[in-house]
Amino acid sequence: MSQARFLIRRSLQGLLVVWGVITLVFLLRFITPGSPVDFVAPLDASPELRAQIAINLGLHQPIYVQYFDYLFGLVRGDMGFSYIRGRPASGIILSRLPATIELAVAATIVAIIFSIPLGVLSATRRHEPTDYAATTFSLVGISTPNFWLGIMLILIVSVGLGILPTSRRPIGLIPALEMLIFQLQISGIRTWIAHMILPAVTLGTYFTAMIVRLTRSGMLDELGQPYVKAARAKGLPETLVTYKHALRNTMIPIITVLGLQLGSLIGGAVITEFVFNWPGLGTLVIDAIVVRDWPIIQGALIVIGIGFVVINIAVDALYTKLNPRVSYE
Amino acid sequence: MISDRVKKSLKRELNHSLMAKIGIVLVLAIMLMAMFAPFFAMHNPTQQQLDRAHQPPLGVTQTSEEFRFVDGERQIQEVTIQGTAEHPFGTDSLGRDLFSRVLFGARTSLMVGLFGTLFAVGTGVSIGLVAGYYGGRVDDSLMRFADIMLAFPALVLAIALVGLLGPLTVRIPDPFVAAGLVEGMPATFVFPITLTIVVGVVNWVWFARIARGEALSIRQEEYVKAARSVGASDWTILRQHILPNSLTPIIVLATIQVAAIILLESSLSFLGFSGTTLSWGFDIAQGRDYLGTSWWISSIPGLAIMFAVIGINLLGDWLRDALDPGLSGEGGV
């Protein structure tokens, strides 16, 4: 099968999964105890007022009518109106999306920058202090709850040393870049970076630890292979053998597992946002759950689900590109 | 049930792995802590003593400024409090003993970790075995459903489910208190039911995938065909032939999942969705407001989570290396 056909098939499967996600999220409201009206109506509301509110929210319709209304709304980009803020849910969700993406990307960059060199060093200097330090770090890293790590970083770096800011950031990446380009002011981007460091490290540590583990075991496997011996025998410098030959083959299992672990990146982002009061999707969803703001809950969960499916397809495509032995099946 | 070969290989791996030994010691320590919490605890973990609030851990001296009324006038005074052996881990903002809270918190984490994993194993393995054994349309529909489940990050789904369904809990009587062996301890243990089911629900897919894969390969084996030809029912074949042969990877994954579920439980408790207040995650959340003054309230319970999870992860590594060298360390939340 060609790559294009593979991608089309994979996208169609993804579409099916997205439809399932939407249906599941829609049904969530009906297995939740209590009516949405309880959270919207005043405490002393008369039965007539409550009935009127239910009609305004469209809750009086049979469930299948509500379902198709919702589905057709989604196709037009309409997720309903937030019960609490009265504005379109889709607009609120979209405005929160950049902060979450910036956080996830920054954490991934942190993870890749630190983990792969550390994993390689750990494997090439097996049973040396570097190796023990790296394996200990990775064990602690995968075992530390990231919300606690975030709080400890706030405690040590912000409260103790007083260097980096902790809570709600004043500026996003795009406004900061606009400031830089149009007003030639660097202060925006500096503020942005200062607010990004702790959350990115908090979210990235688990992945750094995980990739160190994977890189180390993968490199140990590869360095024992005959082709590495052959490369050494023909006199290639060790750096070239390590980084060009062995590391390249190690990347394949790393990417596979990273794809599987994307869910924990998104889940981790939700709780990291909560710790740092980050204006992203995660804090939005948690706040909305507490007040039962259904259009926001549903919309945000669907956006997260779609994002996850899309990234997974991208990882699959990357994977088949990196590993020519994998057929597009 | 455990063959001699397996025992031997477990022992050999244990003998030359320091990490495995550390793991076993850590896990045993946490299990003992959880089981005998009422004996080790020096205070009732839920008892508030406001005059003892914010006491630092043993060996720590804390100086803070406090408003005091002296002769009817408000003055700022420097107050120095020293940690005492009475409260080795210090006290929280309501004067509750943190050492006792850490001990009892181990109960919540381990109970949710064990029962949540059992629930995930039970559902996942049954669904996976059925899907793999029957194949065809049953397999297709079950696995499509699994794909949809996997499209939600486990933590996000768990937050939504627990947050929306509401925290249902049961109170389980403490056997030691009921038997009159200890006094002054909570008579019941609050077991978060919704939370336990939800952490199981968001994790069953991993077990289903493994069980399905095993069932798919084993059902082609000669001995399964032989059993079928002598008239064994599907149920017998699944239970007596396929299940025992797919146990190894399931046990290894289950061990690692206990660690993942403990992390998940602490996250949900941290957000305040668990329904119990005796949990490591809950205490970390409480301490957030006092980071500037009482750093220990958030720090110490987090260390407890870390040691518990490190222990279980090391145990999982040991089982994996001993039982099945071919397995890679995938899976998890």
Side-chain angles (χ1 to χ4, degrees):
Chain A
M1 215 191 301
S2 73
Q3 193 178 5
R5 278 191 60 190
F6 165 77
L7 279 180
I8 291 172
R9 219 186 74 179
R10 203 60 191 75
S11 306
L12 287 177
Q13 278 175 357
L15 217 57
L16 212 65
V17 172
V18 166
W19 172 68
V21 165
I22 294 170
T23 310
L24 217 65
V25 165
F26 177 79
L27 291 176
L28 205 55
R29 207 183 77 211
F30 297 89
I31 57 165
T32 302
S35 156
V37 178
D38 300 341
F39 283 82
V40 180
L43 282 177
D44 56 351
S46 63
E48 294 78 32
L49 180 60
R50 290 176 60 92
Q52 187 56 47
I53 291 172
I55 290 173
N56 288 349
L57 299 179
L59 302 173
H60 61 298
Q61 307 263 31
I63 182 170
Y64 65 90
V65 176
Q66 292 187 40
Y67 177 64
F68 284 109
D69 272 356
Y70 189 68
L71 215 54
F72 288 125
L74 278 182
V75 176
R76 298 191 309 265
D78 174 13
M79 294 176 167
F81 284 81
S82 160
Y83 289 172
I84 307 296
R85 303 174 208 211
R87 287 189 286 130
S90 51
I92 298 174
I93 291 166
L94 278 183
S95 71
R96 295 293 198 106
L97 206 51
T100 299
I101 295 176
E102 286 164 32
L103 175 61
V105 171
T108 312
I109 292 173
V110 167
I112 291 173
I113 289 178
F114 288 105
S115 62
I116 290 179
L118 202 56
V120 171
L121 276 182
S122 183
T124 50
R125 302 189 183 177
R126 201 177 180 190
H127 301 313
E128 284 177 38
T130 323
D131 181 26
Y132 292 127
T135 39
T136 310
F137 161 77
S138 60
L139 178 67
V140 173
I142 61 164
S143 306
T144 307
N146 72 351
F147 60 91
W148 181 72
L149 178 66
I151 292 174
M152 289 302 105
L153 286 176
I154 292 177
L155 178 65
I156 296 166
V157 180
S158 305
V159 178
L161 303 174
I163 356 185
L164 291 172
T166 59
S167 67
R168 195 173 275 267
R169 60 180 198 162
I171 191 165
L173 177 62
I174 294 167
L177 284 177
E178 280 171 1
M179 257 177 88
L180 184 68
I181 295 166
F182 297 119
Q183 301 165 17
L184 296 175
Q185 281 189 347
I186 203 161
S187 63
I189 207 91
R190 268 175 48 192
T191 316
W192 181 81
I193 292 175
H195 279 82
M196 181 58 90
I197 294 175
L198 291 187
V201 170
T202 301
L203 181 56
T205 297
Y206 176 82
F207 294 92
T208 313
M210 170 113 60
I211 305 174
V212 168
R213 272 193 143 194
L214 290 171
T215 313
R216 180 177 182 273
S217 64
M219 285 297 286
L220 285 177
D221 278 352
E222 293 299 331
L223 288 173
Q225 298 285 329
Y227 74 88
V228 170
K229 276 186 196 145
R232 280 184 188 140
K234 72 180 178 187
L236 283 187
E238 192 60 31
T239 337
L240 206 63
V241 177
T242 312
Y243 285 93
K244 192 173 170 215
H245 294 258
L247 182 60
R248 201 192 152 108
N249 284 320
T250 310
M251 288 311 289
I252 295 164
I254 294 178
I255 287 180
T256 317
V257 178
L258 274 189
L260 282 172
Q261 289 292 334
L262 278 173
S264 35
L265 179 72
I266 300 176
V270 170
I271 202 143
T272 306
E273 286 183 11
F274 183 78
V275 170
F276 288 95
N277 203 0
W278 195 256
L281 269 187
T283 43
L284 182 70
V285 126
I286 292 173
D287 291 346
I289 284 172
V290 174
V291 296
R292 299 286 192 278
D293 192 348
W294 278 103
I296 299 277
I297 300 174
Q298 292 173 325
L301 287 180
I302 288 170
V303 168
I304 291 174
I306 291 176
F308 196 39
V309 170
V310 170
I311 305 172
N312 262 319
I313 294 175
V315 170
D316 275 1
L318 184 67
Y319 181 55
T320 45
K321 223 177 175 74
L322 266 179
N323 188 357
R325 282 173 303 183
V326 173
S327 62
Y328 299 111
E329 280 301 325
Chain B
M1 178 161 164
I2 304 173
S3 70
D4 286 341
R5 190 180 57 83
V6 171
K7 267 187 206 156
K8 232 183 204 164
S9 129
L10 281 172
K11 213 168 171 185
R12 191 176 49 230
E13 194 64 38
L14 184 63
N15 279 337
H16 74 243
S17 164
L18 173 67
M19 286 298 172
K21 287 177 197 133
I22 297 177
I24 289 178
V25 169
L26 277 175
V27 170
L28 280 180
I30 305 264
M31 281 170 78
L32 286 175
M33 265 170 66
M35 229 180 270
F36 300 109
F39 292 103
F40 297 131
M42 295 183 288
H43 300 268
N44 183 329
T46 54
Q47 195 194 354
Q48 305 181 358
Q49 283 181 289
L50 292 177
D51 56 326
R52 288 192 181 180
H54 295 289
Q55 290 203 2
L58 185 61
V60 176
T61 310
Q62 181 82 353
T63 314
S64 57
E65 289 175 345
E66 271 186 20
F67 288 114
R68 284 283 161 91
F69 283 97
V70 181
D71 300 332
E73 261 187 53
R74 211 167 67 152
Q75 289 186 348
I76 298 175
Q77 276 192 343
E78 256 197 12
V79 183
T80 307
I81 320 175
Q82 223 161 6
T84 58
E86 178 84 18
H87 301 287
F89 288 177
T91 58
D92 69 6
S93 60
L94 297 170
R96 293 175 295 196
D97 179 45
L98 267 183
F99 180 66
S100 312
R101 291 186 68 78
V102 167
L103 288 173
F104 278 87
R107 285 190 161 183
T108 309
S109 286
L110 281 192
M111 292 280 273
V112 173
L114 287 177
F115 285 101
T117 307
L118 280 179
F119 187 83
V121 171
T123 351
V125 170
S126 336
I127 292 179
L129 285 181
V130 167
Y133 182 73
Y134 289 102
R137 214 171 270 172
V138 182
D139 186 28
D140 274 349
S141 43
L142 285 174
M143 286 302 113
R144 284 296 86 76
F145 184 63
D147 283 347
I148 296 171
M149 292 289 294
L150 281 178
F152 286 108
L155 179 62
V156 176
L157 188 60
I159 289 173
L161 285 176
V162 179
L164 293 171
L165 296 177
L168 182 69
T169 54
V170 276
R171 292 182 163 272
I172 302 170
D174 187 311
F176 302 119
V177 177
L181 293 174
V182 278
E183 277 178 10
M185 290 295 149
T188 53
F189 162 73
V190 180
F191 181 65
I193 293 194
T194 322
L195 181 73
T196 308
I197 295 176
V198 165
V199 295
V201 165
V202 300
N203 278 305
W204 66 268
V205 180
W206 304 103
F207 293 99
R209 289 198 148 186
I210 287 195
R212 172 179 175 267
E214 296 290 321
L216 267 178
S217 62
I218 297 173
R219 72 169 177 167
Q220 305 295 347
E221 300 275 342
E222 291 301 324
Y223 64 85
V224 172
K225 287 181 189 160
R228 197 177 295 138
S229 67
V230 295
S233 69
D234 286 347
W235 168 243
T236 315
I237 294 175
L238 275 173
R239 194 170 44 99
Q240 294 201 333
H241 298 288
I242 296 187
L243 182 62
N245 279 301
S246 42
L247 270 184
T248 307
I250 293 171
I251 289 174
V252 172
L253 180 64
T255 314
I256 301 167
Q257 280 294 326
V258 174
I261 286 182
I262 287 180
L263 285 177
L264 194 56
E265 178 273 328
S266 67
S267 306
L268 293 165
S269 296
F270 173 70
L271 295 174
F273 287 153
S274 67
T276 172
T277 56
L278 259 183
S279 154
W280 294 334
F282 182 86
D283 281 347
I284 295 175
Q286 275 202 74
R288 268 180 90 193
D289 297 336
Y290 308 102
L291 285 183
T293 50
S294 314
W295 52 265
W296 53 89
I297 306 177
S298 276
S299 316
I300 292 175
L303 288 176
I305 300 176
M306 208 173 82
F307 283 121
V309 175
I310 287 180
I312 298 167
N313 276 331
L314 289 175
L315 204 67
D317 286 352
W318 168 52
L319 289 177
R320 186 190 61 207
D321 294 343
L323 297 179
D324 193 348
L327 271 184
S328 63
E330 292 174 11
V333 180

